[in-house]
Amino acid sequence: MRPCCLVLFVATAWNALAQAPKPASALFTQYCVTCHNARLKTGGLTLDIAALNDIPKNAELWEKVVGKLQTRAMPPAQAKRPEESEYKTMLAALTTELDRSAAANPNPGKLPLLHRLTRTEYQNAVRDLLVLSDLPKEDEISYLLPADNVNSGFDNLADLLFTSPATLDRYVDAARKVSRLAIGDPAMPAMVNIYRIDPEHPQDERVDELPFGTRGGIAIRSEFPVDASYVFKVELGSAPRDRQDLEITVDQQRVQLVKLGEDGGGGRGGRGAGSPPLEFRLPLKAGPRLIGIAFLERSQARDEATLRPRMRSRGTLPSIASVTVSGPYDVDSPGESPSRKRIFVCRPASAAEELPCARQILKTLARRAYRRPVSDADLNELLPFYKDGRAAANFDLGIQRALERILVSPQFLFRIEHEPAVSGRVTPIELASRLSFFLWSSIPDDELLAAAESGKLADPKVLEQQTRRMLADPRAESMVTNFAAQWLYLRDIDEKDPDEILFPEFDQTLRDAMKQETELFLKDVLLGNHNVMELLTANYSFLNDRLARHYGILGIAGSQFRKVVFPEGSVRGGLLGQGSLLTITSYANRTSPVQRGKWVLENLLSAPPPPPPPNVPALNTDGSEPGQKLTMREAMTRHRASPPCAGCHARMDPIGFAMENFDAVGKWRDHDDGGKIDASGSLPGGSPFQGIAGLKKELVRDPTPFYSTLAERLLMYATGRNLQYYDQPAVRAIVRSAAPSDTFAAFVVGVVNSNPFQMREGAAAVAANSVAASKVQ
């Protein structure tokens, strides 16, 4: 071979060898061990390449490494970083072994045998057991029961659902009030419920659920326990200076029209703030009713808005401040409410038929309430309460007393499971409760309970069929109002109070519109069979005129919400462009790139930063010159100059800067107080982008972290416990099973089929883990 040919051959071979894929061990040595070794121990972490030969033995350690690699958080930006193909090689080497070991030795995690219902679950269970959906204001479960503890965003984690004597007293009180409402006790005392209208809620436009041609006022949905008269007292927020017509409707039908102002209702000036309330009495049938109290829209050419100065709170027109509902008075009968129809599955025609009928009623109620077949022992616990009530008054009171007992029974208040000798599948009955409280935050219906009692629910095909049936049921909206609202911290919008001087346009109407937009959007994507990535990429949302004006979108009229498709290049679309989340992640007087970046890292990428150090100073936006204001980016750059702060802020701030064009209430802007906004940023992996559109593209480029986050949150919510390192193989299996459709239903089915959802740790495993824990201590 000629020398020149030999040189060419050697060079080609060397290049081919250099470009050949490196084994995972070499990649870990090159990119990880250089810092995380026994000498440096960077971040308190030591990686031993020899441990790659037995990855499952150090599963907790390697799962941490998987998390860092998956989000591209390591190696740090200033270090030499792997190529994308090398990241995938390292991840595959770890997850393959971890998942194989988990499949051979599943660990379902530890759960208490008793899992108390949350306040939301109790409310939904009462709704489905007794057909009580709209409790009177003062009898709402949120008033009767204390709030539950929250951890990791969720309030249904079993370890935090404590039951104190004071809490039990509240449950006893709730059971008494709920049973009276459901049975329709003619002897019940008059209730007083006050419905106040937020003073920041303008009443210049029609209220949803009230008839067209009306404006302002209030729509009251409430259960009325018996056929009787009820008294309504209306307190006005401002006095009408000329004639106004106040319409009272029951279930959309007018029952009364009251004239106020110049031509009636107290003469010129009429009734207003400080005047005695307007009072009227209505005969109502038992059951759920929609009461409307609103002003008729005026058609006169003269508009009060042109004659009076604009009011800051309730608007420019006469308004209602509150409505007080009291009753029942002059009771006619218990009536035939939906609750009574559900409860009284039989009617005794004679004294001899009463006890058999009572047994039938209580057996039916207890089966649904306890979520399992009912034994004679169960009935024997309830019958003394029935007999006491029957002896005191009548058959109905007997059933009411027994119903009170059901509603305070541990069998109703707790989800009770039995500990098996060895780890294994839960029983079909236990699985039914897990499924219904996961998808509906409520008790199983008769169809699901029947499938469990027959054992058919243990069949994977039947289980999936029931899961998809339940997702198509209206009760699955709890996946939006309970699961997603907690996952994304949407409930925090109610606690936000933007500065009224800086943001005078933000009022209760806008707050409600923001909240409803996000709920409608989530319902459409999650329950509408869309790819879940549309949560970030969708080019549409749901708007009414109030929210559209806030977003600067023209052509939307009316208070009703409708689907709006945004034009190409719009900054709206997806969760990151919605006012609710942008307001939640801001302070009262300014935006917060830190909070917005943290929200994305924590809730979309499962890469939360560590908590901040103590005594962090407030952000200073003043420049070096008198009167000079820094841009948010300049202020944050100065703020994170301290080395202890720089590491975390380098991950959060660039993401938050991408959303800086949205102000603290989600309104678009090009400048802040310091000048033109620079919305460039980057993800922890170092990928640069420009503005909100660029951030969305980067999140979509590798959807695995987002899919994994959704799977983690679903599994945590479904099992009612915090996830541990040994749950990560199940999370990855859920993500794999959801492909290729990646719909919410596919993720839910993956969770339902997972070992943590279907299994319970056995007594032997519990004992072994306790011994191991004591040795560690």
Side-chain angles (χ1 to χ4, degrees), residues 635-657:
M636 290 303 304
T637 299
R638 185 173 65 184
H639 181 74
R640 66 171 183 262
S642 171
C645 303
C648 293
H649 277 282
R651 299 176 59 209
M652 296 183 291
D653 296 1
I655 296 175
F657 287 141

Side-chain angles (χ1 to χ4, degrees), residues 197-205 215-216 237-239 304-305 308-320 507 509:
I197 302 177
D198 194 289
E200 292 187 359
H201 205 304
Q203 297 187 39
D204 296 349
E205 298 179 347
R215 65 153 189 87
S238 57
E304 289 189 43
R308 304 177 57 203
R310 179 170 178 81
M311 296 176 61
R312 178 182 165 273
S313 56
R314 294 189 173 96
T316 62
L317 302 176
S319 59
I320 294 174
D507 55 20
T509 303

Side-chain angles (χ1 to χ4, degrees), residues 379-394:
L379 284 179
N380 290 338
E381 286 184 358
L382 299 175
L383 285 173
F385 295 89
Y386 158 75
K387 292 176 181 178
D388 286 347
R390 177 64 185 90
N394 53 39

Side-chain angles (χ1 to χ4, degrees), residues 519-717:
E519 288 181 350
L520 289 172
F521 176 73
L522 287 168
K523 180 181 177 181
D524 189 68
V525 175
L526 299 184
L527 303 181
N529 209 35
H530 295 260
N531 186 308
V532 294
M533 190 53 70
E534 287 193 27
L535 290 172
L536 305 180
T537 65
N539 68 338
Y540 68 91
S541 191
F542 294 83
L543 309 178
N544 66 354
D545 57 350
R546 181 70 180 86
L547 193 56
R549 288 197 307 271
H550 185 69
Y551 289 168
I553 296 172
L554 304 178
I556 308 297
S559 60
Q560 68 275 19
F561 280 77
R562 78 293 312 264
K563 185 175 182 179
V564 176
V565 178
F566 301 122
E568 185 72 25
S570 173
V571 297
R572 301 295 171 180
L575 291 170
L576 297 181
Q578 294 185 3
S580 59
L581 296 176
L582 294 164
T583 302
I584 286 168
T585 53
S586 297
Y587 292 116
N589 61 344
R590 64 169 177 85
T591 59
S592 173
V594 175
Q595 296 224 37
R596 289 177 174 177
K598 178 178 180 291
W599 187 92
V600 170
L601 288 172
E602 189 173 76
N603 299 299
L604 302 184
L605 301 177
S606 279
N615 304 319
V616 176
L619 183 68
N620 182 8
T621 60
D622 294 332
S624 56
E625 300 295 329
Q628 180 189 7
K629 286 291 184 181
L630 301 179
T631 65
M632 183 59 68
R633 182 182 289 271
E634 291 168 342
M636 290 303 304
T637 299
R638 185 173 65 184
H639 181 74
R640 66 171 183 262
S642 171
C645 303
C648 293
H649 277 282
R651 299 176 59 209
M652 296 183 291
D653 296 1
I655 296 175
F657 287 141
M659 295 182 274
E660 189 60 18
N661 283 114
F662 298 108
D663 71 10
V665 293
K667 204 169 186 176
W668 184 263
R669 60 189 181 162
D670 293 313
H671 297 78
D672 63 10
D673 292 342
K676 186 173 176 58
I677 291 171
D678 177 5
S680 60
S682 62
L683 288 178
S687 303
F689 52 78
Q690 181 63 42
I692 188 67
L695 173 59
K696 290 179 185 179
K697 287 180 181 177
E698 279 302 308
L699 293 173
V700 172
R701 187 171 61 84
D702 180 13
T704 303
F706 176 68
Y707 288 157
S708 297
T709 302
L710 174 59
E712 285 181 8
R713 296 300 192 274
L714 276 171
L715 188 58
M716 183 188 303
Y717 178 78

Side-chain angles (χ1 to χ4, degrees), residues 456-469 749 752-753 758:
K456 293 180 180 178
L457 196 62
D459 183 335
K461 291 183 178 179
V462 174
L463 179 60
E464 179 169 346
Q465 180 269 325
Q466 287 293 326
T467 301
R468 293 187 181 275
R469 176 187 71 84
V749 169
V752 171
N753 288 332
Q758 293 199 15

